[in-house]
Amino acid sequence: MRDSILAQQLGEALAARGWRITTAESCTGGGIAAAITDIAGSSAWFECGYVTYSNAAKSEMLGVSASLIAHYGAVSEAVVVAMARGACAASGCELGVAVSGVAGPGGGSPDKPVGTVWLACYLAPADRLHCHLLRLDGDRLAVRRQAVIAALQECLALLAEHQT
């Protein structure tokens, strides 16, 4: 399992720094948190996960402004950045990862077709952010799985840039 290897590597990198991660997930529905907590001992570096599928949950749990969601849409760079920052603020974690997208099979639009996923990783101590638009292929399960893998990879990349 590729995600288990990535999650193990992420855990080792976080544990070496004494840091914790939090997740803020929409289209993956807790898949990133599940990949992380599949690793024995992850309680040493995983704090909590927020599954904020609805816009109201994004606002209530993560402090994402309703006007931001209304202006840009839930599947947008601005919203996933606010989700990642909000998850870190709410949990006190050093690293936050957020995803919001259209997993399908319905729900897509010409501007945001099925497979459109925004991903943000935020490293609070350094105030560093990685944010990417992903265009993923496949059915609902494939899109969600690819988004989980991309999220774990992006967290590792951000940590690699910030050596302590």
Side-chain angles (χ1 to χ4, degrees), residues 5-160:
I5 293 168
L6 293 168
Q8 180 70 43
Q9 292 171 342
L10 179 59
E12 290 167 3
L14 288 165
R17 293 167 171 84
W19 288 354
R20 291 179 162 268
I21 187 172
T22 183
T23 62
E25 304 181 62
S26 189
C27 65
T28 50
I32 301 167
I36 289 169
T37 58
D38 278 347
I39 305 302
S42 58
S43 61
W45 47 275
F46 179 74
E47 181 68 25
C48 61
Y50 302 91
V51 178
T52 55
Y53 217 67
S54 72
N55 291 343
K58 288 173 182 63
S59 295
E60 292 165 13
M61 297 173 73
L62 302 173
V64 179
S65 163
S67 63
L68 189 75
I69 296 170
H71 185 72
Y72 294 102
V75 180
S76 65
E77 178 178 14
V79 169
V80 294
V81 167
M83 289 170 66
R85 289 178 189 264
C88 284
S91 67
C93 288
E94 291 82 9
L95 181 62
V97 59
V99 292
S100 186
V102 184
S109 69
D111 289 345
K112 297 175 185 176
V114 170
T116 301
V117 177
W118 275 98
L119 161 66
C121 295
Y122 177 62
L123 187 58
D127 194 29
R128 300 265 330 245
L129 180 73
H130 280 191
C131 191
H132 298 285
L133 171 61
L134 307 172
R135 301 286 187 178
L136 305 174
D137 293 319
D139 63 10
R140 182 177 182 82
L141 182 62
V143 167
R144 289 166 50 118
R145 181 155 174 81
Q146 290 170 75
V148 168
I149 290 168
L152 296 170
Q153 290 172 324
E154 201 58 45
C155 288
L156 283 164
L158 183 57
L159 288 173

